[in-house]
Coordinates of all heavy atoms in Angstrom, one line a residue:
E874 N 39.2 42.3 16.9 CA 37.7 42.4 16.8 C 37.2 42.0 15.5 O 36.2 41.2 15.4 CB 37.3 43.8 17.2 CG 35.8 43.8 17.5 CD 35.5 45.2 18.1 OE1 36.0 45.6 19.1 OE2 34.7 45.8 17.4
T875 N 37.8 42.4 14.4 CA 37.4 42.1 13.1 C 37.6 40.6 12.9 O 36.8 39.9 12.2 CB 38.3 42.9 12.0 OG1 38.2 44.2 12.3 CG2 37.8 42.6 10.6
M876 N 38.6 40.0 13.5 CA 38.9 38.6 13.3 C 37.8 37.8 13.9 O 37.3 36.8 13.4 CB 40.2 38.3 14.0 CG 40.7 36.9 13.8 SD 41.4 36.8 12.1 CE 42.7 35.7 12.4
K877 N 37.3 38.2 15.1 CA 36.2 37.5 15.8 C 34.9 37.6 15.0 O 34.2 36.6 14.8 CB 35.9 38.1 17.2 CG 37.0 37.7 18.2 CD 36.7 38.3 19.5 CE 37.7 38.1 20.5 NZ 37.4 38.6 21.8
A878 N 34.7 38.8 14.4 CA 33.5 39.0 13.6 C 33.5 38.1 12.3 O 32.5 37.5 11.9 CB 33.3 40.4 13.2
N879 N 34.8 38.0 11.7 CA 34.9 37.1 10.5 C 34.7 35.7 10.9 O 34.1 34.9 10.1 CB 36.3 37.3 9.9 CG 36.4 38.6 9.2 OD1 35.4 39.2 8.8 ND2 37.6 39.1 8.9
K880 N 35.2 35.2 12.1 CA 35.0 33.8 12.5 C 33.5 33.5 12.7 O 33.0 32.5 12.4 CB 35.8 33.6 13.7 CG 37.3 33.3 13.5 CD 38.0 32.9 14.8 CE 39.4 32.7 14.5 NZ 40.2 32.4 15.7
A881 N 32.8 34.5 13.4 CA 31.4 34.3 13.6 C 30.6 34.2 12.3 O 29.7 33.4 12.1 CB 30.9 35.4 14.5
L882 N 31.0 35.1 11.4 CA 30.3 35.1 10.1 C 30.6 33.8 9.3 O 29.7 33.2 8.7 CB 30.8 36.3 9.3 CG 30.1 36.5 7.9 CD1 28.6 36.7 8.1 CD2 30.7 37.7 7.2
S883 N 31.9 33.4 9.4 CA 32.3 32.1 8.8 C 31.5 30.9 9.3 O 31.0 30.1 8.6 CB 33.7 31.9 8.9 OG 34.1 30.7 8.3
A884 N 31.3 30.9 10.6 CA 30.5 29.8 11.3 C 29.1 29.9 10.8 O 28.5 28.8 10.6 CB 30.7 29.9 12.8
L885 N 28.5 31.1 10.8 CA 27.1 31.2 10.3 C 27.0 30.8 8.9 O 26.0 30.1 8.5 CB 26.7 32.7 10.5 CG 25.3 33.0 10.1 CD1 24.3 32.2 11.0 CD2 25.0 34.5 10.2
Q886 N 27.9 31.2 8.0 CA 27.9 30.7 6.6 C 28.0 29.2 6.5 O 27.3 28.6 5.7 CB 29.0 31.4 5.8 CG 28.7 32.9 5.6 CD 29.9 33.6 5.0 OE1 31.0 33.1 5.0 NE2 29.7 34.8 4.4
H887 N 28.8 28.6 7.3 CA 29.0 27.2 7.3 C 27.7 26.5 7.7 O 27.3 25.5 7.1 CB 30.2 26.8 8.2 CG 30.4 25.3 8.3 ND1 30.9 24.6 7.2 CD2 30.2 24.4 9.3 CE1 30.9 23.3 7.6 NE2 30.5 23.2 8.8
K888 N 27.1 27.0 8.7 CA 25.9 26.5 9.2 C 24.8 26.6 8.2 O 24.0 25.6 7.9 CB 25.4 27.2 10.5 CG 24.4 26.5 11.3 CD 24.1 27.3 12.6 CE 23.4 26.4 13.6 NZ 23.2 27.1 14.9
T889 N 24.7 27.7 7.5 CA 23.7 27.9 6.4 C 23.9 26.9 5.3 O 23.0 26.3 4.8 CB 23.8 29.3 5.9 OG1 23.6 30.2 7.0 CG2 22.8 29.6 4.8
R890 N 25.2 26.7 4.9 CA 25.5 25.8 3.8 C 25.1 24.3 4.2 O 24.6 23.6 3.4 CB 27.0 25.8 3.5 CG 27.4 26.8 2.5 CD 28.8 26.7 2.0 NE 29.5 27.9 2.3 CZ 30.6 28.1 3.0 NH1 31.3 27.1 3.4 NH2 31.1 29.3 3.2
M891 N 25.4 24.0 5.5 CA 25.0 22.7 6.0 C 23.5 22.4 6.0 O 23.0 21.4 5.6 CB 25.6 22.4 7.4 CG 27.1 22.4 7.5 SD 27.7 21.1 6.4 CE 27.2 19.6 7.3
M892 N 22.7 23.5 6.3 CA 21.3 23.4 6.3 C 20.7 23.2 4.9 O 19.9 22.4 4.7 CB 20.6 24.6 7.0 CG 20.9 24.7 8.5 SD 20.2 23.4 9.4 CE 18.5 23.7 9.3
K893 N 21.3 24.0 4.0 CA 20.9 23.8 2.6 C 21.2 22.4 2.0 O 20.4 21.8 1.3 CB 21.6 24.9 1.7 CG 21.0 26.3 1.9 CD 21.7 27.3 1.0 CE 21.1 28.7 1.2 NZ 21.8 29.7 0.3
A894 N 22.4 21.9 2.4 CA 22.8 20.6 1.9 C 21.9 19.5 2.5 O 21.5 18.6 1.9 CB 24.2 20.3 2.3
L895 N 21.5 19.7 3.8 CA 20.6 18.8 4.4 C 19.2 18.8 3.8 O 18.6 17.7 3.5 CB 20.4 19.1 5.9 CG 19.6 18.2 6.7 CD1 20.1 16.8 6.8 CD2 19.4 18.7 8.2
Q896 N 18.7 20.0 3.4 CA 17.4 20.1 2.8 C 17.4 19.4 1.4 O 16.5 18.7 1.0 CB 17.0 21.5 2.6 CG 16.6 22.2 3.9 CD 16.4 23.7 3.8 OE1 16.7 24.3 2.8 NE2 15.8 24.3 4.9
S897 N 18.5 19.7 0.7 CA 18.7 19.1 -0.6 C 18.8 17.5 -0.5 O 18.2 16.8 -1.3 CB 20.0 19.6 -1.3 OG 20.2 19.0 -2.5
S898 N 19.5 17.0 0.5 CA 19.6 15.6 0.7 C 18.2 15.0 1.0 O 17.9 13.9 0.5 CB 20.5 15.3 1.9 OG 20.6 14.0 2.1
R899 N 17.4 15.6 1.8 CA 16.0 15.1 2.1 C 15.2 15.1 0.8 O 14.5 14.1 0.6 CB 15.4 16.0 3.1 CG 15.9 15.8 4.5 CD 15.1 16.7 5.5 NE 15.7 16.6 6.8 CZ 15.6 17.5 7.8 NH1 14.9 18.5 7.5 NH2 16.1 17.3 8.9
A900 N 15.3 16.1 0.0 CA 14.6 16.1 -1.3 C 15.0 15.0 -2.2 O 14.2 14.3 -2.8 CB 14.8 17.4 -2.0
C901 N 16.3 14.7 -2.2 CA 16.9 13.6 -3.0 C 16.4 12.3 -2.5 O 16.1 11.4 -3.3 CB 18.4 13.6 -3.1 SG 19.1 15.0 -4.0
M902 N 16.3 12.1 -1.2 CA 15.9 10.9 -0.6 C 14.4 10.6 -0.9 O 14.0 9.5 -1.2 CB 16.1 10.9 0.9 CG 17.5 10.7 1.3 SD 17.9 10.7 3.1 CE 16.4 10.8 4.0
K903 N 13.6 11.7 -0.9 CA 12.2 11.5 -1.3 C 12.0 11.1 -2.7 O 11.3 10.2 -3.1 CB 11.4 12.8 -1.0 CG 11.1 13.1 0.4 CD 10.4 14.4 0.6 CE 10.2 14.7 2.0 NZ 9.5 16.0 2.2
E904 N 12.8 11.7 -3.6 CA 12.7 11.4 -5.0 C 13.3 10.0 -5.3 O 12.7 9.2 -6.1 CB 13.6 12.4 -5.8 CG 13.3 12.4 -7.3 CD 11.9 12.7 -7.7 OE1 11.3 13.6 -7.1 OE2 11.5 12.2 -8.7
D905 N 14.3 9.6 -4.6 CA 14.9 8.2 -4.7 C 13.8 7.2 -4.2 O 13.7 6.2 -4.9 CB 16.1 8.1 -3.8 CG 16.8 6.8 -3.9 OD1 17.1 6.4 -5.1 OD2 17.0 6.1 -2.9
M906 N 13.1 7.5 -3.2 CA 12.1 6.5 -2.7 C 11.0 6.4 -3.7 O 10.5 5.2 -3.9 CB 11.5 7.0 -1.4 CG 10.6 6.0 -0.7 SD 11.3 4.4 -0.4 CE 12.4 4.7 0.9
K907 N 10.6 7.4 -4.4 CA 9.5 7.3 -5.4 C 10.0 6.4 -6.5 O 9.3 5.6 -7.0 CB 9.2 8.7 -6.0 CG 8.4 9.6 -5.1 CD 8.2 10.9 -5.7 CE 7.6 12.0 -4.8 NZ 7.4 13.3 -5.4
E908 N 11.3 6.6 -6.9 CA 11.8 5.8 -8.0 C 11.9 4.3 -7.6 O 11.6 3.4 -8.4 CB 13.2 6.3 -8.4 CG 13.2 7.7 -9.1 CD 12.4 7.7 -10.4 OE1 12.4 6.7 -11.1 OE2 11.7 8.7 -10.6
R909 N 12.3 4.1 -6.4 CA 12.4 2.7 -5.9 C 11.1 2.0 -5.9 O 10.9 0.8 -6.2 CB 13.0 2.7 -4.5 CG 14.5 2.9 -4.5 CD 15.0 3.0 -3.0 NE 16.4 3.4 -3.0 CZ 17.4 2.5 -2.8 NH1 17.1 1.2 -2.7 NH2 18.6 2.9 -2.8
V910 N 10.0 2.7 -5.4 CA 8.7 2.2 -5.4 C 8.2 1.8 -6.8 O 7.6 0.8 -7.1 CB 7.7 3.1 -4.7 CG1 6.3 2.7 -4.9 CG2 8.0 3.2 -3.2
A911 N 8.5 2.7 -7.8 CA 8.1 2.5 -9.2 C 8.8 1.2 -9.7 O 8.1 0.4 -10.4 CB 8.4 3.7 -10.0
V912 N 10.1 1.1 -9.5 CA 10.8 -0.1 -9.9 C 10.3 -1.3 -9.3 O 10.1 -2.4 -9.9 CB 12.3 0.1 -9.7 CG1 13.0 -1.2 -9.9 CG2 12.9 1.2 -10.6
Q913 N 10.0 -1.3 -8.0 CA 9.5 -2.5 -7.3 C 8.2 -2.9 -7.8 O 7.9 -4.1 -8.0 CB 9.5 -2.2 -5.8 CG 9.1 -3.4 -4.9 CD 9.2 -3.1 -3.5 OE1 9.3 -1.9 -3.1 NE2 9.0 -4.1 -2.6
N914 N 7.3 -1.9 -8.1 CA 6.0 -2.3 -8.6 C 6.1 -2.9 -10.0 O 5.3 -3.8 -10.3 CB 5.1 -1.0 -8.6 CG 4.6 -0.6 -7.3 OD1 4.7 -1.3 -6.3 ND2 4.3 0.7 -7.2
K915 N 7.0 -2.4 -10.8 CA 7.2 -2.9 -12.1 C 7.7 -4.4 -12.0 O 7.2 -5.2 -12.7 CB 8.2 -2.0 -12.9 CG 8.4 -2.5 -14.3 CD 7.1 -2.3 -15.2 CE 7.4 -2.6 -16.6 NZ 6.2 -2.7 -17.4
L916 N 8.7 -4.6 -11.1 CA 9.2 -5.9 -11.0 C 8.1 -6.9 -10.4 O 8.1 -8.1 -10.8 CB 10.4 -5.9 -10.0 CG 11.7 -5.3 -10.6 CD1 12.7 -5.3 -9.5 CD2 12.1 -6.0 -11.8
H917 N 7.2 -6.4 -9.6 CA 6.2 -7.2 -9.1 C 5.3 -7.7 -10.2 O 4.9 -8.9 -10.2 CB 5.4 -6.4 -8.0 CG 4.3 -7.3 -7.4 ND1 3.0 -7.2 -7.8 CD2 4.3 -8.1 -6.3 CE1 2.3 -8.0 -7.1 NE2 3.1 -8.6 -6.1
D918 N 4.9 -6.8 -11.1 CA 4.1 -7.2 -12.2 C 4.8 -8.2 -13.1 O 4.2 -9.2 -13.6 CB 3.7 -6.0 -13.1 CG 2.8 -5.0 -12.3 OD1 2.2 -5.4 -11.3 OD2 2.7 -3.8 -12.7
I919 N 6.1 -8.0 -13.3 CA 6.9 -9.0 -14.1 C 6.9 -10.3 -13.4 O 6.8 -11.4 -14.1 CB 8.3 -8.4 -14.4 CG1 8.2 -7.2 -15.3 CG2 9.2 -9.5 -15.0 CD1 9.5 -6.4 -15.4
C920 N 7.1 -10.4 -12.1 CA 7.1 -11.6 -11.4 C 5.8 -12.4 -11.5 O 5.9 -13.6 -11.7 CB 7.4 -11.3 -9.9 SG 7.6 -12.8 -8.9
I921 N 4.7 -11.7 -11.4 CA 3.4 -12.4 -11.5 C 3.2 -12.9 -12.9 O 2.8 -14.0 -13.1 CB 2.3 -11.5 -11.1 CG1 2.4 -11.3 -9.6 CG2 0.9 -12.0 -11.5 CD1 1.3 -10.4 -9.0
T922 N 3.6 -12.1 -13.9 CA 3.5 -12.6 -15.3 C 4.4 -13.9 -15.5 O 3.9 -14.8 -16.2 CB 4.0 -11.5 -16.3 OG1 3.2 -10.3 -16.0 CG2 3.9 -11.9 -17.7
M923 N 5.6 -13.9 -14.9 CA 6.4 -15.0 -15.1 C 5.8 -16.2 -14.4 O 5.9 -17.3 -14.9 CB 7.8 -14.7 -14.4 CG 8.8 -15.8 -14.6 SD 10.5 -15.4 -14.0 CE 10.2 -15.2 -12.3
C924 N 5.2 -16.1 -13.2 CA 4.6 -17.2 -12.5 C 3.4 -17.7 -13.4 O 3.2 -19.0 -13.4 CB 4.0 -16.7 -11.2 SG 5.3 -16.6 -9.9
K925 N 2.7 -16.8 -14.0 CA 1.6 -17.3 -14.9 C 2.1 -18.1 -16.1 O 1.6 -19.2 -16.4 CB 0.8 -16.1 -15.4 CG -0.1 -15.5 -14.4 CD -0.8 -14.3 -14.9 CE -1.6 -13.6 -13.9 NZ -2.3 -12.4 -14.4
E926 N 3.3 -17.7 -16.7 CA 3.8 -18.4 -17.8 C 4.4 -19.7 -17.4 O 4.3 -20.7 -18.2 CB 5.0 -17.5 -18.4 CG 4.5 -16.3 -19.2 CD 5.6 -15.4 -19.7 OE1 6.8 -15.8 -19.5 OE2 5.2 -14.4 -20.3
L927 N 4.9 -19.8 -16.2 CA 5.4 -21.1 -15.7 C 4.4 -22.0 -15.1 O 4.7 -23.2 -14.8 CB 6.5 -20.8 -14.6 CG 7.7 -20.1 -15.1 CD1 8.6 -19.8 -13.9 CD2 8.5 -21.0 -16.1
G928 N 3.1 -21.6 -15.0 CA 2.1 -22.4 -14.5 C 2.1 -22.5 -12.9 O 1.4 -23.3 -12.4
A929 N 2.8 -21.6 -12.3 CA 2.8 -21.6 -10.8 C 1.8 -20.6 -10.2 O 1.7 -20.5 -9.0 CB 4.2 -21.2 -10.4
F930 N 1.1 -19.9 -11.1 CA 0.1 -18.9 -10.6 C -1.2 -19.6 -10.4 O -1.6 -20.3 -11.3 CB 0.1 -17.8 -11.6 CG -0.8 -16.6 -11.1 CD1 -0.2 -15.7 -10.3 CD2 -2.1 -16.5 -11.5 CE1 -1.0 -14.6 -9.8 CE2 -2.8 -15.4 -11.1 CZ -2.3 -14.5 -10.2
P931 N -2.0 -19.4 -9.4 CA -1.7 -18.6 -8.2 C -1.2 -19.4 -7.0 O -0.7 -18.8 -6.1 CB -3.1 -18.0 -7.9 CG -4.1 -19.1 -8.3 CD -3.4 -19.8 -9.5
E932 N -1.4 -20.7 -7.0 CA -1.1 -21.5 -5.8 C 0.4 -21.4 -5.4 O 0.7 -21.3 -4.2 CB -1.5 -22.9 -6.0 CG -3.0 -23.2 -6.1 CD -3.5 -23.0 -7.5 OE1 -2.7 -23.0 -8.4 OE2 -4.7 -22.9 -7.7
K933 N 1.3 -21.5 -6.4 CA 2.7 -21.6 -6.0 C 3.5 -20.4 -6.3 O 4.7 -20.4 -6.3 CB 3.3 -22.8 -6.8 CG 2.7 -24.1 -6.5 CD 3.3 -25.2 -7.3 CE 2.5 -26.5 -7.1 NZ 2.9 -27.6 -8.0
C934 N 2.8 -19.3 -6.5 CA 3.5 -18.0 -6.8 C 4.2 -17.5 -5.5 O 3.5 -17.4 -4.5 CB 2.5 -17.0 -7.3 SG 3.2 -15.4 -7.8
T935 N 5.5 -17.2 -5.6 CA 6.2 -16.7 -4.4 C 6.7 -15.3 -4.6 O 7.7 -14.9 -4.0 CB 7.4 -17.7 -4.2 OG1 8.2 -17.6 -5.4 CG2 7.0 -19.1 -3.9
C936 N 6.0 -14.5 -5.4 CA 6.4 -13.1 -5.6 C 6.2 -12.4 -4.3 O 5.2 -12.6 -3.5 CB 5.5 -12.5 -6.7 SG 5.7 -13.2 -8.3
P937 N 7.1 -11.4 -4.0 CA 6.9 -10.7 -2.7 C 5.7 -9.8 -2.7 O 5.3 -9.2 -3.7 CB 8.2 -9.8 -2.7 CG 8.9 -10.0 -4.0 CD 8.2 -11.1 -4.7
G938 N 4.9 -9.9 -1.6 CA 3.7 -9.1 -1.5 C 2.5 -9.7 -2.1 O 1.4 -9.2 -2.1
Y939 N 2.6 -10.9 -2.7 CA 1.5 -11.5 -3.4 C 0.7 -12.4 -2.4 O 1.3 -13.2 -1.7 CB 1.9 -12.4 -4.6 CG 0.8 -13.2 -5.2 CD1 -0.2 -12.5 -5.9 CD2 0.7 -14.5 -5.0 CE1 -1.2 -13.2 -6.5 CE2 -0.4 -15.2 -5.5 CZ -1.3 -14.6 -6.3 OH -2.4 -15.3 -6.8
K940 N -0.6 -12.2 -2.4 CA -1.4 -13.1 -1.6 C -2.4 -13.8 -2.5 O -3.1 -13.1 -3.3 CB -2.2 -12.2 -0.5 CG -1.3 -11.7 0.6 CD -2.0 -11.0 1.6 CE -1.1 -10.5 2.7 NZ -1.8 -9.7 3.7
D941 N -2.5 -15.0 -2.3 CA -3.5 -15.8 -3.2 C -4.9 -15.6 -2.7 O -5.2 -15.9 -1.5 CB -3.1 -17.3 -3.1 CG -3.9 -18.2 -4.0 OD1 -4.7 -17.6 -4.8 OD2 -3.9 -19.4 -3.9
T942 N -5.7 -15.0 -3.5 CA -7.1 -14.7 -3.1 C -8.1 -15.5 -3.9 O -9.3 -15.2 -3.9 CB -7.4 -13.2 -3.3 OG1 -7.2 -12.9 -4.7 CG2 -6.5 -12.3 -2.4
T943 N -7.6 -16.5 -4.6 CA -8.5 -17.4 -5.4 C -9.4 -18.2 -4.5 O -9.0 -18.6 -3.4 CB -7.8 -18.2 -6.4 OG1 -6.9 -19.1 -5.7 CG2 -7.0 -17.4 -7.4
D944 N -10.5 -18.7 -5.0 CA -11.4 -19.5 -4.2 C -10.9 -20.9 -4.2 O -10.7 -21.6 -5.2 CB -12.8 -19.5 -4.9 CG -13.9 -20.2 -4.1 OD1 -13.6 -20.6 -2.9 OD2 -15.0 -20.3 -4.6
K945 N -10.5 -21.4 -3.0 CA -10.0 -22.8 -2.8 C -11.1 -23.8 -2.9 O -10.7 -25.0 -3.0 CB -9.2 -22.9 -1.5 CG -8.1 -21.9 -1.4 CD -7.0 -22.1 -2.4 CE -5.9 -21.1 -2.2 NZ -5.2 -20.8 -3.4
T946 N -12.3 -23.4 -2.8 CA -13.4 -24.4 -2.8 C -14.5 -24.0 -3.8 O -15.6 -23.6 -3.4 CB -14.0 -24.5 -1.4 OG1 -14.4 -23.2 -1.0 CG2 -13.0 -25.1 -0.4
P947 N -14.2 -24.0 -5.1 CA -15.2 -23.5 -6.0 C -16.4 -24.4 -6.0 O -16.3 -25.7 -6.0 CB -14.4 -23.6 -7.4 CG -13.3 -24.6 -7.2 CD -13.0 -24.5 -5.7
G948 N -17.6 -23.8 -6.0 CA -18.8 -24.5 -6.0 C -19.2 -25.0 -4.6 O -20.3 -25.6 -4.5
V949 N -18.4 -24.8 -3.6 CA -18.7 -25.3 -2.2 C -18.7 -24.0 -1.3 O -17.8 -23.3 -1.4 CB -17.7 -26.3 -1.7 CG1 -18.0 -26.7 -0.3 CG2 -17.7 -27.5 -2.7
M950 N -19.7 -23.9 -0.5 CA -19.8 -22.7 0.4 C -19.1 -23.0 1.7 O -19.4 -24.0 2.3 CB -21.3 -22.3 0.6 CG -21.4 -21.0 1.3 SD -23.1 -20.5 1.4 CE -23.4 -19.8 -0.2
T951 N -18.2 -22.2 2.1 CA -17.5 -22.3 3.3 C -18.3 -21.7 4.4 O -19.2 -21.0 4.2 CB -16.1 -21.7 3.3 OG1 -16.2 -20.3 3.1 CG2 -15.2 -22.3 2.2
W952 N -17.9 -21.9 5.7 CA -18.6 -21.3 6.8 C -18.5 -19.8 6.7 O -19.5 -19.1 7.0 CB -18.0 -21.8 8.1 CG -18.5 -23.1 8.5 CD1 -17.8 -24.3 8.5 CD2 -19.8 -23.5 9.0 NE1 -18.5 -25.3 8.9 CE2 -19.8 -24.9 9.2 CE3 -20.9 -22.8 9.2 CZ2 -20.9 -25.5 9.6 CZ3 -22.1 -23.4 9.6 CH2 -22.1 -24.8 9.8
D953 N -17.4 -19.2 6.4 CA -17.3 -17.7 6.3 C -18.2 -17.2 5.2 O -18.9 -16.2 5.4 CB -15.8 -17.3 6.0 CG -14.9 -17.6 7.2 OD1 -15.4 -17.6 8.3 OD2 -13.7 -17.7 7.0
E954 N -18.3 -17.9 4.1 CA -19.1 -17.4 3.0 C -20.6 -17.6 3.4 O -21.4 -16.7 3.1 CB -18.9 -18.3 1.7 CG -17.5 -18.0 1.1 CD -17.2 -19.0 0.0 OE1 -17.7 -20.1 0.0 OE2 -16.3 -18.6 -0.8
L955 N -20.9 -18.7 4.1 CA -22.3 -18.9 4.6 C -22.7 -17.8 5.6 O -23.8 -17.2 5.5 CB -22.4 -20.3 5.2 CG -23.8 -20.6 5.8 CD1 -24.9 -20.6 4.7 CD2 -23.8 -21.9 6.5
L956 N -21.9 -17.5 6.5 CA -22.2 -16.5 7.5 C -22.3 -15.1 6.9 O -23.2 -14.3 7.2 CB -21.1 -16.4 8.6 CG -21.1 -17.7 9.5 CD1 -19.8 -17.6 10.4 CD2 -22.3 -17.8 10.3
Y957 N -21.5 -14.8 5.9 CA -21.6 -13.5 5.2 C -22.9 -13.5 4.4 O -23.7 -12.5 4.4 CB -20.4 -13.4 4.2 CG -20.4 -12.1 3.5 CD1 -20.0 -10.9 4.1 CD2 -20.9 -12.0 2.2 CE1 -19.9 -9.7 3.4 CE2 -20.9 -10.8 1.5 CZ -20.4 -9.6 2.1 OH -20.4 -8.4 1.5
Y958 N -23.3 -14.6 3.8 CA -24.6 -14.7 3.0 C -25.8 -14.5 3.9 O -26.7 -13.8 3.6 CB -24.6 -16.0 2.3 CG -25.9 -16.2 1.6 CD1 -26.3 -15.6 0.4 CD2 -26.9 -17.1 2.1 CE1 -27.5 -15.8 -0.2 CE2 -28.1 -17.3 1.4 CZ -28.4 -16.6 0.3 OH -29.6 -16.8 -0.3
M959 N -25.7 -15.2 5.1 CA -26.8 -15.1 6.0 C -27.0 -13.7 6.6 O -28.1 -13.2 6.8 CB -26.6 -16.1 7.2 CG -26.7 -17.5 6.8 SD -28.2 -17.9 5.9 CE -29.5 -17.7 7.2
G960 N -25.9 -13.0 6.7 CA -25.9 -11.6 7.2 C -26.6 -10.7 6.1 O -27.5 -9.9 6.4
D961 N -26.3 -11.0 4.8 CA -27.0 -10.3 3.7 C -28.5 -10.6 3.7 O -29.3 -9.7 3.5 CB -26.4 -10.6 2.4 CG -25.0 -10.0 2.2 OD1 -24.6 -9.1 3.0 OD2 -24.3 -10.5 1.3
V962 N -28.8 -11.9 3.9 CA -30.3 -12.3 3.9 C -31.0 -11.6 5.1 O -32.1 -11.1 4.9 CB -30.4 -13.8 4.1 CG1 -31.8 -14.3 4.3 CG2 -29.9 -14.5 2.8
A963 N -30.4 -11.6 6.3 CA -31.0 -10.9 7.4 C -31.3 -9.4 7.1 O -32.3 -8.9 7.4 CB -30.2 -11.1 8.7
E964 N -30.3 -8.8 6.5 CA -30.4 -7.3 6.2 C -31.5 -7.1 5.2 O -32.3 -6.2 5.3 CB -29.0 -6.8 5.7 CG -28.9 -5.3 5.7 CD -27.5 -4.9 5.3 OE1 -26.5 -5.4 5.9 OE2 -27.4 -4.2 4.3
A965 N -31.5 -7.9 4.1 CA -32.5 -7.8 3.1 C -33.9 -8.0 3.6 O -34.9 -7.3 3.3 CB -32.2 -8.7 1.9
S966 N -34.0 -9.0 4.5 CA -35.4 -9.3 5.0 C -35.9 -8.2 6.0 O -37.0 -7.9 5.9 CB -35.4 -10.7 5.8 OG -34.5 -10.6 6.9
A967 N -35.0 -7.6 6.7 CA -35.4 -6.5 7.6 C -35.8 -5.3 6.8 O -36.8 -4.7 7.1 CB -34.2 -6.1 8.5
T968 N -35.2 -5.1 5.7 CA -35.6 -4.0 4.8 C -36.9 -4.3 4.1 O -37.8 -3.4 4.0 CB -34.5 -3.8 3.7 OG1 -33.2 -3.6 4.3 CG2 -34.8 -2.6 2.8
A969 N -37.1 -5.5 3.7 CA -38.4 -5.9 3.1 C -39.5 -5.8 4.1 O -40.6 -5.3 3.8 CB -38.3 -7.3 2.6
I970 N -39.3 -6.2 5.4 CA -40.4 -6.1 6.4 C -40.7 -4.6 6.7 O -41.9 -4.3 6.8 CB -40.0 -6.8 7.7 CG1 -39.9 -8.3 7.4 CG2 -40.9 -6.5 8.8 CD1 -39.3 -9.2 8.5
K971 N -39.7 -3.8 6.7 CA -40.0 -2.3 6.9 C -40.8 -1.8 5.8 O -41.7 -1.0 6.0 CB -38.7 -1.6 7.0 CG -38.0 -1.7 8.3 CD -36.7 -0.9 8.3 CE -35.9 -1.1 9.6 NZ -34.6 -0.4 9.6
G972 N -40.5 -2.2 4.6 CA -41.3 -1.8 3.4 C -42.7 -2.2 3.5 O -43.6 -1.5 3.1
W973 N -42.9 -3.5 3.9 CA -44.3 -4.0 4.0 C -45.1 -3.3 5.1 O -46.3 -3.0 4.9 CB -44.3 -5.5 4.3 CG -43.6 -6.3 3.2 CD1 -43.6 -6.0 1.9 CD2 -43.0 -7.6 3.4 NE1 -42.9 -7.0 1.2 CE2 -42.6 -8.0 2.1 CE3 -42.8 -8.4 4.5 CZ2 -41.9 -9.2 1.9 CZ3 -42.1 -9.6 4.3 CH2 -41.7 -10.0 3.0
K974 N -44.4 -3.0 6.2 CA -45.1 -2.3 7.3 C -45.5 -0.9 6.8 O -46.5 -0.3 7.3 CB -44.3 -2.2 8.5 CG -44.2 -3.6 9.2 CD -43.4 -3.5 10.5 CE -43.3 -4.8 11.2 NZ -42.5 -4.7 12.5
S975 N -44.7 -0.2 6.0 CA -45.0 1.1 5.6 C -46.1 1.2 4.6 O -46.7 2.2 4.3 CB -43.7 1.8 5.0 OG -43.4 1.2 3.8
M976 N -46.5 0.0 4.0 CA -47.5 0.0 3.0 C -48.9 0.0 3.6 O -49.9 0.2 3.0 CB -47.4 -1.3 2.1 CG -46.2 -1.3 1.3 SD -45.9 -2.8 0.4 CE -46.4 -2.4 -1.2
R977 N -49.0 -0.3 4.9 CA -50.3 -0.4 5.6 C -51.0 0.9 5.7 O -50.7 1.9 5.7 CB -50.1 -1.0 7.0 CG -49.8 -2.4 7.0 CD -49.7 -2.8 8.4 NE -49.2 -4.2 8.5 CZ -49.1 -4.9 9.6 NH1 -49.4 -4.3 10.8 NH2 -48.7 -6.1 9.7

């Protein structure tokens, strides 16, 4: 009977040790992921700096996660820009008309 109790206690202790090890492993994985993200962000900045030094920035920059957001048509309005501008004009005119009507 004592032998059975010892085996049950041993199994419980083993299970407890495994749970603690699993929790510790999860904490380590979270910490590792934070470090990996920090290193990746640092390398991304270095990659963009290198592209600028080589004259490949922004059109030919191949850094991971980089999207070229420069204006491809400087001084020329594209359809998307025109539609956005017209939306602003319509909104501003509606506000102005409301203001004029309230002055009466």
